[in-house]
Amino acid sequence: MDKISVIIPVYKVENYLERCVRSVCNQTYPELEILLIDDGSPDRSGEICDVLAGQDARIRVIHKSNGGLSDARNAGIDASTGDWLAFVDSDDWLDPRMLEILKIQAEKYGAEIAECSYRNLYKEMVKEETSCSGNVIVATPVEAIEGNLDWKNFKPVAWNKLYRADIVGRIRYPKGKLHEDEFTTHKFYLAAKKIVYVDVSGYNYDRRREGSITAKFSLRNLDACQAYHEKTNAVCHTPELAPIRQKMCDTYCWTLFDCLAKCADAGLSGPELDRTLADAMADRPMLEENGLNQLYRECFRVLEKKGLNACAAYWKGKSGQ
């Protein structure tokens, strides 16, 4: 039986960690290696990791200095010995059959990546991400990347997936970046030949924890623009990705102008914003060559002629944001 390495970055989650790890230990797929990456956590999380490891021989703990989520995931990849890899955020948890379902679907369709849907847990409600129809979709890398852009079935997040270890290979998450999945997931897809999606929820994404890195907009959120800058350049210069160029360009621009408007509203400034603006203006000819729609063309014109605040006002007025 193939072994699955489950990589769990751990940082300041002493109140949530046991719930997460127990959900992995209780998976119906038994052949697991559970890697707890203590990323220099200042609370009791590292101690809890050691206690849990003493209770299940499949758990291995790596204590390291703080390097952030990407660095912890990378440490887990480097230490893993499994045939397949899965990532779980330590404040979330898995349904009991998630890994078994993904492994079955991967084997059935000969896919190197299998993914499922998830449920969002808010303070006031639980919301399924999709209709959970049970349908199965088999996709090429191009189709899966397009699915990410449509945000319909295939998603760019790291943690609802099972990856064959050899397609992960040397691909690593960018250290110190927010939206690290946006820099990386398309690379995993392109390393694969086939990706399968099953429309059932297996992952519980807990949005209730205060202090979550997804909670508040800051200049660090401009990392999403950098990710799309890199992805869009890759797509526009790869012939086999031609069918999704326009959609990628439009998604880049939506992300860009939405983030710029939030920066303007908050009065933010700094080198991160300067870099984002420079990248965008350098990308403008490429974007317009690939059929960019009129709203984004006009946003670029206003940005160039009248500056950030005018562009933000125009964007909000026209996009309804």
Side-chain angles (χ1 to χ4, degrees):
M1 177 181 283
D2 286 348
K3 179 167 63 177
I4 297 175
S5 295
V6 183
I7 297 166
I8 307 176
V10 175
Y11 185 75
K12 292 178 69 173
V13 286
E14 62 182 6
N15 294 327
Y16 309 92
L17 179 58
E18 185 170 353
R19 177 184 68 181
C20 173
V21 176
R22 296 289 183 208
S23 79
V24 178
C25 292
N26 292 333
Q27 289 293 295
T28 55
Y29 190 89
E31 191 63 31
L32 302 177
E33 171 184 60
I34 304 169
L35 297 169
L36 305 183
I37 315 300
D38 171 25
D39 192 36
S41 187
D43 64 359
R44 293 181 55 253
S45 294
E47 177 186 340
I48 294 170
C49 286
D50 292 333
V51 170
L52 292 169
Q55 299 172 355
D56 193 316
R58 298 173 298 175
I59 298 175
R60 183 152 54 102
V61 181
I62 297 173
H63 298 285
K64 60 182 287 298
S65 59
N66 180 249
L69 175 59
S70 290
D71 195 50
R73 283 184 184 160
N74 293 342
I77 295 171
D78 292 340
S80 66
T81 62
D83 306 286
W84 296 79
L85 303 180
F87 301 100
V88 184
D89 287 353
S90 50
D91 50 354
D92 301 333
W93 71 96
L94 309 183
D95 284 0
R97 293 193 65 232
M98 175 179 157
L99 295 178
E100 180 186 11
I101 289 170
L102 293 181
K103 184 64 163 55
I104 288 171
Q105 297 300 324
E107 290 182 340
K108 180 177 180 180
Y109 293 100
E112 297 96 336
I113 301 173
E115 59 185 281
C116 63
S117 188
Y118 55 93
R119 60 185 62 88
N120 300 276
L121 291 95
Y122 299 94
K123 289 181 179 179
E124 65 280 2
M125 65 176 178
V126 176
K127 183 179 179 181
E128 294 287 355
E129 183 67 19
T130 66
S131 63
C132 298
S133 65
N135 292 338
V136 175
I137 300 171
V138 182
T140 65
V142 176
E143 291 166 340
I145 294 172
E146 185 173 18
N148 287 181
L149 298 177
D150 291 335
W151 200 266
K152 185 177 181 181
N153 294 311
F154 297 93
K155 302 292 197 304
V157 295
W159 33 255
N160 66 335
K161 297 175 177 62
L162 184 64
Y163 310 78
R164 209 172 70 190
D166 62 336
I167 70 104
V168 172
R170 295 180 178 273
I171 300 169
R172 295 295 182 270
Y173 289 91
K175 185 176 178 179
K177 299 291 186 183
L178 287 185
H179 306 285
E180 73 290 333
D181 306 352
E182 294 283 8
F183 286 89
T184 314
T185 297
H186 69 288
K187 297 178 182 178
F188 294 139
Y189 286 156
L190 290 171
K193 294 181 179 178
K194 192 180 294 183
I195 303 97
V196 62
Y197 168 81
V198 54
D199 193 32
V200 297
S201 284
Y203 191 95
N204 297 277
Y205 178 28
D206 195 341
R207 295 173 175 263
R208 298 170 295 186
R209 183 166 71 93
E210 294 182 3
S212 168
I213 61 173
T214 61
K216 185 179 179 181
F217 185 86
S218 71
L219 283 173
R220 290 192 66 201
N221 289 101
L222 292 175
D223 287 346
C225 299
Q226 184 182 356
Y228 271 101
H229 158 71
E230 293 182 8
K231 284 200 292 188
T232 304
N233 274 273
V235 167
C236 288
H237 294 94
T238 304
E240 57 265 36
L241 299 180
I244 62 171
R245 283 179 187 169
Q246 181 175 359
K247 187 173 288 186
M248 180 65 78
C249 291
D250 283 344
T251 305
Y252 173 20
C253 288
W254 193 99
T255 302
L256 170 69
F257 292 117
D258 187 63
C259 285
L260 292 180
K262 289 176 180 175
C263 286
D265 285 348
L268 300 177
S269 62
E272 299 93 341
L273 178 57
D274 294 339
R275 182 200 63 213
T276 298
L277 290 168
D279 285 344
M281 296 311 293
D283 291 336
R284 181 182 179 184
M286 173 189 70
L287 295 168
E288 293 183 344
E289 286 172 8
N290 283 283
L292 201 62
N293 77 40
Q294 190 58 40
L295 170 61
Y296 303 131
R297 290 174 182 267
E298 188 63 17
C299 284
F300 271 116
R301 189 193 68 79
V302 174
L303 179 63
E304 180 182 39
K305 299 295 184 182
K306 298 182 179 180
L308 177 61
N309 289 332
C311 178
Y314 181 84
W315 166 253
K316 289 187 291 183
K318 295 293 185 180
S319 67
Q321 297 303 306

